Amino acid sequence: MELVDPELRDALSSSTSSLPATADSVEDAHGSIPTTSPGRLESSVIQPLCGSQPVAIDAERGIWEAEALLAKWKRGNTTWYLVKWKGFPHEGNTWQKRKDISPEVVEGFEATYQGNHLGVRLLKKRVLRRRVEYLVEWKGRPESENSWEKEATVSRERIMEFEAS
């Protein structure tokens, strides 16, 4: 699988091999919107797993291999995917816009999508205006990005696990 992030591609020199950068949050009226900050690449280097190396498709152009898409998050007209990078621990997971991911990777994820499952852990439940919401912890992302999500965006299996605990 490959994922292209044009913001990173232009910001990297040909000698850089420390992708992915971590995503920072930008607050909006509803919550956090994740964005990638090329200016922080050097200060946010993620160490690869022992015995595993990051997989670059084309490091000069900023094209890196994604191991999996773990979750989907939609805000307004923008769909974000939580990317697990091949050769990096989950702490290196980043949010990427749909347009920056190869269509084949997105299509494969969407073909089996039945709500967020792999990339989430449910922390709490609440009922707000007669709608059930869950406080979601996004795998590999900082606590500050935890967010309340509608029941329909979480897989049935993950909800059943939460309710049983």
Side-chain angles (χ1 to χ4, degrees):
M1 290 190 262
E2 71 178 49
L3 184 133
V4 180
D5 185 343
E7 291 178 12
L8 293 176
R9 180 184 329 127
D10 296 335
L12 297 173
S13 68
S14 61
S15 63
T16 302
S17 61
S18 59
L19 273 183
T22 57
D24 295 321
S25 296
V26 176
E27 293 296 315
D28 74 354
H30 183 72
S32 298
I33 298 292
T35 58
T36 304
S37 300
R40 293 184 150 190
L41 283 175
E42 293 180 70
S43 64
S44 60
V45 173
I46 306 294
Q47 293 299 317
L49 297 168
C50 292
S52 180
Q53 293 298 314
V55 179
I57 305 293
D58 184 341
E60 288 184 24
R61 291 186 29 223
I63 302 172
W64 297 81
E65 186 169 350
E67 185 174 314
L69 298 183
L70 301 176
K72 177 169 78 169
W73 193 30
K74 188 166 182 165
R75 289 294 181 256
N77 293 330
T78 305
T79 301
W80 298 85
Y81 292 90
L82 185 57
V83 178
K84 165 67 173 91
W85 296 93
K86 191 167 187 174
F88 284 94
H90 281 287
E91 290 76 23
N93 295 352
T94 60
W95 289 102
Q96 300 296 322
K97 293 179 183 178
R98 180 183 186 123
K99 69 179 182 67
D100 295 331
I101 304 171
S102 72
E104 296 81 22
V105 173
V106 173
E107 289 166 12
F109 177 81
E110 293 290 350
T112 59
Y113 182 77
Q114 295 180 347
N116 288 321
H117 181 76
L118 292 176
V120 301
R121 184 168 72 103
L122 304 181
L123 304 174
K124 294 181 184 177
K125 175 181 177 179
R126 73 179 181 189
V127 178
L128 189 64
R129 295 182 209 110
R130 291 187 260 171
R131 292 186 182 168
V132 175
E133 294 181 340
Y134 292 91
L135 181 59
V136 171
E137 175 184 68
W138 304 98
K139 193 168 195 168
R141 301 302 304 150
E143 185 178 338
S144 63
E145 287 186 11
N146 293 355
S147 59
W148 288 98
E149 300 297 325
K150 297 174 188 165
E151 181 178 33
T153 65
V154 180
S155 74
R156 262 340 282 139
E157 186 177 346
R158 187 60 74 214
I159 291 170
M160 289 171 48
E161 290 170 2
F162 175 79
E163 297 292 342
S165 62

